[in-house]
Short mmCIF file of all heavy atoms in Angstrom, two decimals:
data_model
loop_
_atom_site.label_atom_id
_atom_site.label_comp_id
_atom_site.label_asym_id
_atom_site.label_seq_id
_atom_site.Cartn_x
_atom_site.Cartn_y
_atom_site.Cartn_z
N LYS A 1 0.81 -1.22 0.00
CA LYS A 1 0.00 0.00 0.00
C LYS A 1 0.84 1.27 0.00
O LYS A 1 0.33 2.36 -0.24
CB LYS A 1 -0.92 0.02 1.22
CG LYS A 1 -1.88 -1.16 1.33
CD LYS A 1 -2.92 -1.14 0.24
CE LYS A 1 -3.92 -2.28 0.42
NZ LYS A 1 -4.95 -2.29 -0.63
N ILE A 2 2.13 1.16 0.27
CA ILE A 2 2.94 2.36 0.45
C ILE A 2 3.02 3.20 -0.83
O ILE A 2 2.96 4.42 -0.79
CB ILE A 2 4.35 2.01 0.97
CG1 ILE A 2 5.15 3.30 1.24
CG2 ILE A 2 5.09 1.11 0.00
CD1 ILE A 2 6.48 3.05 1.92
N ARG A 3 3.11 2.53 -1.98
CA ARG A 3 3.22 3.28 -3.24
C ARG A 3 1.96 4.09 -3.53
O ARG A 3 2.03 5.16 -4.16
CB ARG A 3 3.50 2.31 -4.39
CG ARG A 3 3.82 3.00 -5.71
CD ARG A 3 4.25 1.98 -6.74
NE ARG A 3 5.48 1.33 -6.35
CZ ARG A 3 6.69 1.84 -6.60
NH1 ARG A 3 6.80 2.99 -7.21
NH2 ARG A 3 7.77 1.19 -6.22
N SER A 4 0.83 3.63 -3.05
CA SER A 4 -0.43 4.33 -3.30
C SER A 4 -0.50 5.66 -2.57
O SER A 4 -1.40 6.48 -2.83
CB SER A 4 -1.62 3.46 -2.90
OG SER A 4 -1.63 3.24 -1.49
N LEU A 5 0.43 5.91 -1.64
CA LEU A 5 0.43 7.17 -0.90
C LEU A 5 1.04 8.31 -1.70
O LEU A 5 0.80 9.49 -1.39
CB LEU A 5 1.22 6.99 0.41
CG LEU A 5 0.69 5.95 1.39
CD1 LEU A 5 1.66 5.79 2.55
CD2 LEU A 5 -0.69 6.35 1.90
N LEU A 6 1.83 7.99 -2.72
CA LEU A 6 2.55 9.02 -3.46
C LEU A 6 1.63 10.04 -4.14
O LEU A 6 1.86 11.25 -4.02
CB LEU A 6 3.49 8.39 -4.48
CG LEU A 6 4.77 7.76 -3.91
CD1 LEU A 6 5.58 7.13 -5.02
CD2 LEU A 6 5.58 8.80 -3.17
N PRO A 7 0.59 9.59 -4.87
CA PRO A 7 -0.28 10.58 -5.52
C PRO A 7 -0.90 11.57 -4.54
O PRO A 7 -0.99 12.76 -4.81
CB PRO A 7 -1.35 9.71 -6.19
CG PRO A 7 -0.68 8.40 -6.42
CD PRO A 7 0.21 8.22 -5.23
N GLU A 8 -1.32 11.05 -3.36
CA GLU A 8 -1.91 11.93 -2.35
C GLU A 8 -0.88 12.92 -1.83
O GLU A 8 -1.17 14.11 -1.65
CB GLU A 8 -2.44 11.08 -1.19
CG GLU A 8 -2.97 11.91 -0.02
CD GLU A 8 -3.33 11.05 1.18
OE1 GLU A 8 -3.41 9.82 1.03
OE2 GLU A 8 -3.54 11.62 2.26
N LEU A 9 0.35 12.44 -1.63
CA LEU A 9 1.41 13.30 -1.12
C LEU A 9 1.80 14.36 -2.14
O LEU A 9 2.10 15.50 -1.79
CB LEU A 9 2.64 12.45 -0.76
CG LEU A 9 3.74 13.12 0.06
CD1 LEU A 9 3.18 13.60 1.39
CD2 LEU A 9 4.89 12.17 0.29
N GLU A 10 1.78 13.99 -3.41
CA GLU A 10 2.14 14.94 -4.46
C GLU A 10 1.14 16.08 -4.57
O GLU A 10 1.45 17.16 -5.06
CB GLU A 10 2.24 14.20 -5.80
CG GLU A 10 3.46 13.28 -5.87
CD GLU A 10 3.39 12.32 -7.04
OE1 GLU A 10 2.54 12.53 -7.93
OE2 GLU A 10 4.18 11.36 -7.06
N LYS A 11 -0.09 15.84 -4.09
CA LYS A 11 -1.12 16.88 -4.14
C LYS A 11 -1.06 17.79 -2.91
O LYS A 11 -1.76 18.80 -2.86
CB LYS A 11 -2.51 16.24 -4.22
CG LYS A 11 -2.77 15.45 -5.49
CD LYS A 11 -4.15 14.78 -5.43
CE LYS A 11 -4.40 13.93 -6.66
NZ LYS A 11 -5.71 13.23 -6.58
N ALA A 12 -0.23 17.42 -1.94
CA ALA A 12 -0.19 18.17 -0.69
C ALA A 12 0.14 19.64 -0.94
O ALA A 12 -0.69 20.52 -0.74
CB ALA A 12 0.82 17.55 0.27
N ASN A 13 1.36 19.89 -1.41
CA ASN A 13 1.80 21.23 -1.80
C ASN A 13 1.15 22.32 -0.96
O ASN A 13 0.53 23.25 -1.47
CB ASN A 13 1.50 21.48 -3.28
CG ASN A 13 2.28 22.69 -3.81
OD1 ASN A 13 3.28 23.09 -3.22
ND2 ASN A 13 1.82 23.24 -4.90
N GLN A 14 1.23 22.16 0.33
CA GLN A 14 0.56 23.07 1.26
C GLN A 14 1.03 24.51 1.07
O GLN A 14 2.20 24.77 0.81
CB GLN A 14 0.81 22.64 2.70
CG GLN A 14 0.34 21.22 2.98
CD GLN A 14 0.69 20.78 4.37
OE1 GLN A 14 0.76 21.57 5.28
NE2 GLN A 14 0.93 19.50 4.55
N LEU A 15 0.12 25.44 1.16
CA LEU A 15 0.44 26.85 0.98
C LEU A 15 0.98 27.48 2.25
O LEU A 15 1.53 28.57 2.23
CB LEU A 15 -0.81 27.61 0.51
CG LEU A 15 -1.38 27.16 -0.84
CD1 LEU A 15 -2.64 27.96 -1.15
CD2 LEU A 15 -0.36 27.34 -1.95
N GLU A 16 0.81 26.79 3.36
CA GLU A 16 1.27 27.31 4.66
C GLU A 16 2.78 27.49 4.64
O GLU A 16 3.52 26.54 4.42
CB GLU A 16 0.87 26.36 5.77
CG GLU A 16 1.29 26.82 7.16
CD GLU A 16 0.59 28.09 7.57
OE1 GLU A 16 -0.64 28.04 7.77
OE2 GLU A 16 1.27 29.12 7.67
N GLU A 17 3.24 28.72 4.84
CA GLU A 17 4.67 29.00 4.80
C GLU A 17 5.17 29.48 6.16
O GLU A 17 6.10 30.26 6.24
CB GLU A 17 4.97 30.05 3.72
CG GLU A 17 4.78 29.56 2.30
CD GLU A 17 5.83 28.50 1.92
OE1 GLU A 17 6.98 28.62 2.34
OE2 GLU A 17 5.46 27.55 1.21
N GLU A 18 4.52 29.03 7.22
CA GLU A 18 4.89 29.45 8.56
C GLU A 18 5.99 28.56 9.12
O GLU A 18 5.90 27.33 9.08
CB GLU A 18 3.67 29.40 9.48
CG GLU A 18 3.95 29.96 10.88
CD GLU A 18 2.73 29.88 11.77
OE1 GLU A 18 1.92 28.96 11.59
OE2 GLU A 18 2.60 30.74 12.66
N ILE A 19 7.04 29.20 9.62
CA ILE A 19 8.15 28.48 10.25
C ILE A 19 8.22 28.92 11.70
O ILE A 19 8.30 30.12 12.00
CB ILE A 19 9.49 28.77 9.53
CG1 ILE A 19 9.50 28.16 8.13
CG2 ILE A 19 10.65 28.20 10.34
CD1 ILE A 19 8.91 29.04 7.08
N VAL A 20 8.15 27.97 12.61
CA VAL A 20 8.18 28.28 14.04
C VAL A 20 9.32 27.52 14.71
O VAL A 20 9.67 26.41 14.30
CB VAL A 20 6.84 27.92 14.73
CG1 VAL A 20 5.71 28.78 14.18
CG2 VAL A 20 6.52 26.45 14.55
N GLU A 21 9.89 28.14 15.71
CA GLU A 21 10.94 27.46 16.46
C GLU A 21 10.30 26.49 17.44
O GLU A 21 9.28 26.78 18.06
CB GLU A 21 11.81 28.46 17.20
CG GLU A 21 13.07 27.82 17.79
CD GLU A 21 14.11 28.84 18.19
OE1 GLU A 21 13.84 30.04 18.09
OE2 GLU A 21 15.20 28.41 18.63
N VAL A 22 10.92 25.32 17.58
CA VAL A 22 10.41 24.27 18.45
C VAL A 22 11.53 23.79 19.38
O VAL A 22 12.71 23.95 19.06
CB VAL A 22 9.84 23.09 17.63
CG1 VAL A 22 8.57 23.50 16.89
CG2 VAL A 22 10.88 22.55 16.65
N PRO A 23 11.19 23.20 20.52
CA PRO A 23 12.23 22.72 21.44
C PRO A 23 13.05 21.57 20.87
O PRO A 23 14.23 21.43 21.16
CB PRO A 23 11.44 22.28 22.67
CG PRO A 23 10.11 22.93 22.53
CD PRO A 23 9.85 23.04 21.08
N SER A 24 12.40 20.73 20.06
CA SER A 24 13.06 19.53 19.56
C SER A 24 12.38 19.07 18.28
O SER A 24 11.22 19.42 18.03
CB SER A 24 13.00 18.41 20.62
OG SER A 24 13.60 17.23 20.15
N ALA A 25 13.10 18.30 17.47
CA ALA A 25 12.54 17.80 16.21
C ALA A 25 13.01 16.38 15.97
O ALA A 25 14.14 16.02 16.31
CB ALA A 25 12.95 18.70 15.05
N ALA A 26 12.14 15.57 15.39
CA ALA A 26 12.53 14.22 14.98
C ALA A 26 13.45 14.33 13.78
O ALA A 26 13.29 15.21 12.93
CB ALA A 26 11.30 13.39 14.64
N MET A 27 14.43 13.45 13.69
CA MET A 27 15.46 13.58 12.67
C MET A 27 15.12 12.89 11.34
O MET A 27 15.87 13.02 10.38
CB MET A 27 16.78 12.98 13.19
CG MET A 27 17.47 13.86 14.20
SD MET A 27 18.09 15.38 13.48
CE MET A 27 17.39 16.59 14.60
N GLY A 28 13.99 12.21 11.26
CA GLY A 28 13.69 11.43 10.06
C GLY A 28 13.31 12.24 8.84
O GLY A 28 13.15 11.70 7.74
N HIS A 29 13.21 13.57 8.99
CA HIS A 29 12.78 14.43 7.88
C HIS A 29 13.27 15.85 8.14
O HIS A 29 12.51 16.81 8.01
CB HIS A 29 11.25 14.41 7.77
CG HIS A 29 10.57 14.32 9.11
ND1 HIS A 29 10.38 15.42 9.93
CD2 HIS A 29 10.09 13.25 9.79
CE1 HIS A 29 9.79 15.04 11.04
NE2 HIS A 29 9.60 13.72 10.99
N THR A 30 14.55 15.99 8.50
CA THR A 30 15.08 17.24 9.01
C THR A 30 16.36 17.67 8.30
O THR A 30 17.26 16.86 8.08
CB THR A 30 15.34 17.12 10.53
OG1 THR A 30 14.08 16.89 11.19
CG2 THR A 30 15.97 18.36 11.09
N LEU A 31 16.43 18.96 7.98
CA LEU A 31 17.58 19.56 7.30
C LEU A 31 18.46 20.28 8.32
O LEU A 31 17.96 21.02 9.17
CB LEU A 31 17.10 20.55 6.24
CG LEU A 31 18.16 21.26 5.41
CD1 LEU A 31 18.71 20.30 4.35
CD2 LEU A 31 17.57 22.50 4.74
N ILE A 32 19.78 20.07 8.24
CA ILE A 32 20.71 20.65 9.21
C ILE A 32 21.89 21.27 8.47
O ILE A 32 22.48 20.65 7.58
CB ILE A 32 21.23 19.58 10.19
CG1 ILE A 32 20.06 18.87 10.87
CG2 ILE A 32 22.14 20.21 11.24
CD1 ILE A 32 20.48 17.71 11.77
N LYS A 33 22.25 22.50 8.86
CA LYS A 33 23.41 23.15 8.28
C LYS A 33 24.69 22.49 8.77
O LYS A 33 24.78 22.05 9.93
CB LYS A 33 23.42 24.64 8.63
CG LYS A 33 22.38 25.47 7.90
CD LYS A 33 22.51 26.95 8.26
CE LYS A 33 21.54 27.80 7.46
NZ LYS A 33 21.64 29.24 7.84
N LYS A 34 25.71 22.49 7.93
CA LYS A 34 26.97 21.82 8.25
C LYS A 34 27.63 22.42 9.48
O LYS A 34 28.29 21.71 10.25
CB LYS A 34 27.91 21.92 7.04
CG LYS A 34 29.18 21.12 7.18
CD LYS A 34 30.01 21.18 5.92
CE LYS A 34 31.27 20.33 6.03
NZ LYS A 34 32.07 20.38 4.78
N GLU A 35 27.44 23.72 9.71
CA GLU A 35 28.08 24.39 10.84
C GLU A 35 27.67 23.79 12.18
O GLU A 35 28.42 23.84 13.16
CB GLU A 35 27.76 25.88 10.82
CG GLU A 35 26.28 26.21 10.98
CD GLU A 35 25.93 27.61 10.56
OE1 GLU A 35 25.99 27.89 9.35
OE2 GLU A 35 25.58 28.42 11.45
N VAL A 36 26.46 23.21 12.24
CA VAL A 36 25.99 22.60 13.49
C VAL A 36 26.89 21.43 13.87
O VAL A 36 27.21 21.22 15.04
CB VAL A 36 24.53 22.14 13.37
CG1 VAL A 36 24.07 21.45 14.65
CG2 VAL A 36 23.62 23.31 13.04
N PHE A 37 27.32 20.67 12.87
CA PHE A 37 28.09 19.45 13.13
C PHE A 37 29.51 19.74 13.62
O PHE A 37 30.20 18.84 14.09
CB PHE A 37 28.15 18.59 11.87
CG PHE A 37 26.79 18.19 11.36
CD1 PHE A 37 26.43 18.40 10.04
CD2 PHE A 37 25.85 17.63 12.22
CE1 PHE A 37 25.18 18.05 9.57
CE2 PHE A 37 24.59 17.27 11.75
CZ PHE A 37 24.25 17.49 10.43
N GLU A 38 29.95 21.00 13.50
CA GLU A 38 31.26 21.36 14.03
C GLU A 38 31.25 21.38 15.56
O GLU A 38 32.29 21.33 16.19
CB GLU A 38 31.67 22.73 13.48
CG GLU A 38 31.87 22.73 11.96
CD GLU A 38 32.12 24.13 11.41
OE1 GLU A 38 32.14 25.08 12.24
OE2 GLU A 38 32.29 24.26 10.19
N LYS A 39 30.02 21.47 16.14
CA LYS A 39 29.91 21.54 17.60
C LYS A 39 29.09 20.41 18.22
O LYS A 39 29.20 20.16 19.42
CB LYS A 39 29.29 22.89 18.00
CG LYS A 39 30.16 24.08 17.66
CD LYS A 39 29.54 25.38 18.18
CE LYS A 39 30.44 26.57 17.91
NZ LYS A 39 29.85 27.84 18.42
N VAL A 40 28.26 19.77 17.40
CA VAL A 40 27.33 18.78 17.95
C VAL A 40 27.35 17.51 17.10
O VAL A 40 27.33 17.59 15.87
CB VAL A 40 25.89 19.33 18.02
CG1 VAL A 40 24.97 18.32 18.71
CG2 VAL A 40 25.84 20.67 18.74
N ARG A 41 27.38 16.37 17.75
CA ARG A 41 27.22 15.08 17.09
C ARG A 41 26.18 14.26 17.86
O ARG A 41 25.80 14.60 18.98
CB ARG A 41 28.55 14.31 17.03
CG ARG A 41 29.60 14.95 16.13
CD ARG A 41 29.17 14.93 14.67
NE ARG A 41 30.10 15.65 13.81
CZ ARG A 41 31.08 15.09 13.11
NH1 ARG A 41 31.26 13.77 13.20
NH2 ARG A 41 31.86 15.81 12.34
N PHE A 42 25.77 13.16 17.26
CA PHE A 42 24.81 12.27 17.91
C PHE A 42 25.54 11.39 18.92
O PHE A 42 26.68 10.98 18.68
CB PHE A 42 24.09 11.42 16.87
CG PHE A 42 23.14 12.21 16.02
CD1 PHE A 42 23.56 12.77 14.83
CD2 PHE A 42 21.81 12.40 16.41
CE1 PHE A 42 22.70 13.51 14.03
CE2 PHE A 42 20.95 13.14 15.64
CZ PHE A 42 21.39 13.71 14.44
N ASP A 43 24.88 11.10 20.01
CA ASP A 43 25.44 10.28 21.07
C ASP A 43 25.24 8.81 20.72
O ASP A 43 24.12 8.31 20.69
CB ASP A 43 24.76 10.61 22.40
CG ASP A 43 25.46 9.98 23.60
OD1 ASP A 43 25.98 8.84 23.46
OD2 ASP A 43 25.48 10.61 24.67
N ASN A 44 26.34 8.11 20.44
CA ASN A 44 26.26 6.71 20.01
C ASN A 44 25.69 5.78 21.07
O ASN A 44 25.29 4.65 20.76
CB ASN A 44 27.65 6.21 19.59
CG ASN A 44 28.13 6.85 18.30
OD1 ASN A 44 27.33 7.34 17.51
ND2 ASN A 44 29.43 6.84 18.10
N SER A 45 25.65 6.22 22.32
CA SER A 45 25.14 5.35 23.39
C SER A 45 23.62 5.38 23.49
O SER A 45 23.04 4.63 24.26
CB SER A 45 25.75 5.76 24.73
OG SER A 45 25.24 7.03 25.16
N LEU A 46 22.98 6.26 22.72
CA LEU A 46 21.52 6.40 22.80
C LEU A 46 20.85 5.66 21.64
O LEU A 46 20.87 6.13 20.50
CB LEU A 46 21.12 7.88 22.76
CG LEU A 46 21.48 8.70 24.00
CD1 LEU A 46 21.18 10.17 23.76
CD2 LEU A 46 20.72 8.21 25.22
N ASN A 47 20.26 4.52 21.93
CA ASN A 47 19.49 3.81 20.91
C ASN A 47 18.14 4.47 20.67
O ASN A 47 17.52 4.27 19.64
CB ASN A 47 19.27 2.36 21.32
CG ASN A 47 20.50 1.51 21.04
OD1 ASN A 47 21.35 1.88 20.24
ND2 ASN A 47 20.59 0.38 21.70
#
């Protein structure tokens, strides 16, 4: 069923252009500037 989700997703094209700051974000769909990695890395001990 996963492939059938694509047409619906392609129609999303939401007009909402609001960007808000949040305390935390899931990493599965997140963009990060390279400069962040000069100071922060992921903790390998956290599964």
Side-chain angles (χ1 to χ4, degrees):
K1 302 292 184 180
I2 184 172
R3 188 173 296 275
S4 66
L5 299 174
L6 285 178
E8 175 187 347
L9 192 60
E10 290 166 13
K11 295 176 183 177
N13 196 20
Q14 302 176 30
L15 298 178
E16 180 66 67
E17 291 292 323
E18 186 181 30
I19 292 86
V20 295
E21 190 165 4
V22 292
S24 178
M27 285 292 128
H29 36 80
T30 297
L31 181 77
I32 305 175
K33 287 183 177 179
K34 188 176 182 179
E35 63 197 69
V36 177
F37 301 128
E38 296 173 0
K39 295 184 177 181
V40 185
R41 293 294 174 97
F42 290 91
D43 190 324
N44 290 338
S45 70
L46 290 173
N47 280 341

